[in-house]
């Protein structure tokens, strides 16, 4: 697979990778906490012939400048700035995990709608700051770093915990590479940004074509929760990938791309 050359926005704030005609419909991929723009290279190669396929490095990742204060709202503002820098009119947004949360927040904050959105293995809420599950989740993720581990030393075990059955070896190598390269400060900040996120009340207001994509073995964004979420979004489509954990585009790239491709065909016909 060819590797797109990293690019940087004119304001110098964001690095990203892209493939396809810059004049084409923008298809923007947003990675998760353990990801990077390069986690989407397979998708850039797959969809670059039909779209201007773009994957950003979230603030604090790759060469993208970190935010002074990290929150989902601030990340959504950063996404809007990124879209403006690209001149991307009515993009299709594909958000994975925290990327999907950023997309949900962006839909509320942005006056310029997307053409369609894909919420991949994400949630409309993370719950209360004092919730037992949330507290345990954060402690489990940050505790090893507090005890002296590094992102590089943790990457193999973190990725293994996230995936389902028979993941693609090449995808897993890339997943570990991305996880190992996440700056510890960014990882900590993004984990803490999850606390209190809640867009459940705004799901009913999503009026554009929406795909919710889950994995049956995903413990971070469980399939039953995502299926229920889909019922609150008008005309949303729900697709569950069997045997897949939390990193669908890397675990089963063919299945992920097929599901995304079908949805994009639907969007092309109906919008």
């Amino acid at each position: 697979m060819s590797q797109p050359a990293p690019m940087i926005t004119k304001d110098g704030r964001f690095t990203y990778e892209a493939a396809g005609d810059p004049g084409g419909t923008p298809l923007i991929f947003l990675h998760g906490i353990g990801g990077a723009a390069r986690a989407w290279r397979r998708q850039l190669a797959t969809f670059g012939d039909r779209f201007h396929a773009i994957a950003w490095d979230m603030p604090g990742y790759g060469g993208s400048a970190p935010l002074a204060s990290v929150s989902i709202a601030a990340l959504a503002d950063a996404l809007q700035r990124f879209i403006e820098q690209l001149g991307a009119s009515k993009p299709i947004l594909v958000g994975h995990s925290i990327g999907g949360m950023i997309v949900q927040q962006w839909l509320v904050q942005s006056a310029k709608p997307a053409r369609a959105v894909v919420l991949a293995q994400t949630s409309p809420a993370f719950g209360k700051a004092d919730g037992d599950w949330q507290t345990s989740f954060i402690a489990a993720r940050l505790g090893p770093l507090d005890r002296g581990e590094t992102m590089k030393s943790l990457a193999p075990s973190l990725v293994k915990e996230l995936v389902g059955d028979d993941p693609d070896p090449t995808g897993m190598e890339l997943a570990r590479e991305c996880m190992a390269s996440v700056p510890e400060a960014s990882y900590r900040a993004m984990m803490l940004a999850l606390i209190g996120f809640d867009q459940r009340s705004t799901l009913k207001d999503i009026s554009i074509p929406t795909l919710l994509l889950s994995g049956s073995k995903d413990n971070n964004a469980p399939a039953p929760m995502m299926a229920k979420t889909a019922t609150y979004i008008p005309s949303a489509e729900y697709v569950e990938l069997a045997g897949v954990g939390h990193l669908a585009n890397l675990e089963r790239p063919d299945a992920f791309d097929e599901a995304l491709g079908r949805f994009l065909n639907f969007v092309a016909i109906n919008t």
Side-chain angles (χ1 to χ4, degrees):
M1 184 196 317
S2 62
Q3 297 185 355
M7 302 177 183
I8 188 165
T9 53
K10 292 178 182 178
D11 64 359
R13 286 183 54 179
F14 304 98
T15 52
Y16 65 101
E17 296 189 2
D21 180 0
T25 299
L27 176 62
I28 302 177
F29 295 90
L30 295 88
H31 62 82
I33 287 178
R38 64 184 180 277
W40 297 106
R41 282 178 176 167
R42 170 67 178 265
Q43 284 67 47
L44 298 187
T46 299
F47 296 102
D49 60 341
R50 294 175 52 199
F51 299 90
H52 185 205
I54 304 154
W56 82 339
D57 280 312
M58 191 160 51
Y61 288 65
S64 292
L67 298 173
S69 179
V70 179
S71 66
I72 302 297
L75 290 163
D77 284 340
L79 173 60
Q80 178 60 29
R81 177 66 176 266
F82 178 68
I83 290 171
E84 290 171 355
Q85 283 288 301
L86 296 177
S89 176
K90 291 198 71 174
I92 299 171
L93 300 175
V94 181
H96 170 252
S97 197
I98 196 174
M101 295 179 177
I102 295 169
V103 168
Q104 292 173 69
Q105 186 76 37
W106 179 86
L107 288 172
V108 174
Q109 294 177 197
S110 174
K112 298 179 180 179
R115 186 177 181 188
V117 295
V118 178
L119 304 178
Q121 305 180 284
T122 189
S123 171
F126 192 76
K128 299 177 292 185
D130 58 353
D132 290 341
W133 184 88
Q134 290 80 9
T135 302
S136 296
F137 179 89
I138 296 298
R141 294 301 187 274
L142 300 186
L145 293 172
D146 294 337
R147 295 190 290 273
E149 295 275 8
T150 65
M151 292 305 298
K152 185 176 180 179
S153 68
L154 289 172
S157 60
L158 287 174
V159 170
K160 186 176 181 180
E161 291 172 5
L162 291 173
V163 302
D165 302 332
D166 302 317
D168 177 74
T170 301
M172 291 304 90
E173 182 179 355
L174 180 53
R176 290 187 291 269
E177 177 191 327
C178 289
M179 185 73 76
S181 70
V182 177
E184 181 179 327
S186 297
Y187 187 82
R188 288 178 177 275
M190 295 300 169
M191 280 291 174
L192 295 174
L194 296 173
I195 296 175
F197 173 76
D198 192 344
Q199 286 295 339
R200 288 174 292 187
S201 66
T202 67
L203 295 174
K204 67 182 185 304
D205 300 321
I206 299 177
S207 58
I208 55 178
T210 304
L211 170 66
L212 279 82
L213 186 60
S214 77
S216 68
K217 297 292 185 71
D218 188 346
N219 294 320
N220 283 8
M225 177 275 295
M226 290 207 67
K228 182 177 181 180
T229 299
T231 67
Y232 294 103
I233 301 175
S235 302
E237 179 185 359
Y238 172 73
V239 174
E240 182 176 319
L241 301 179
V244 175
H246 191 61
L247 305 177
N249 69 299
L250 294 168
E251 292 180 58
R252 302 279 183 84
D254 289 340
F256 182 93
D257 291 357
E258 182 182 357
L260 177 56
R262 285 198 305 267
F263 176 69
L264 294 174
N265 288 339
F266 169 83
V267 172
I269 294 170
N270 292 276
T271 61

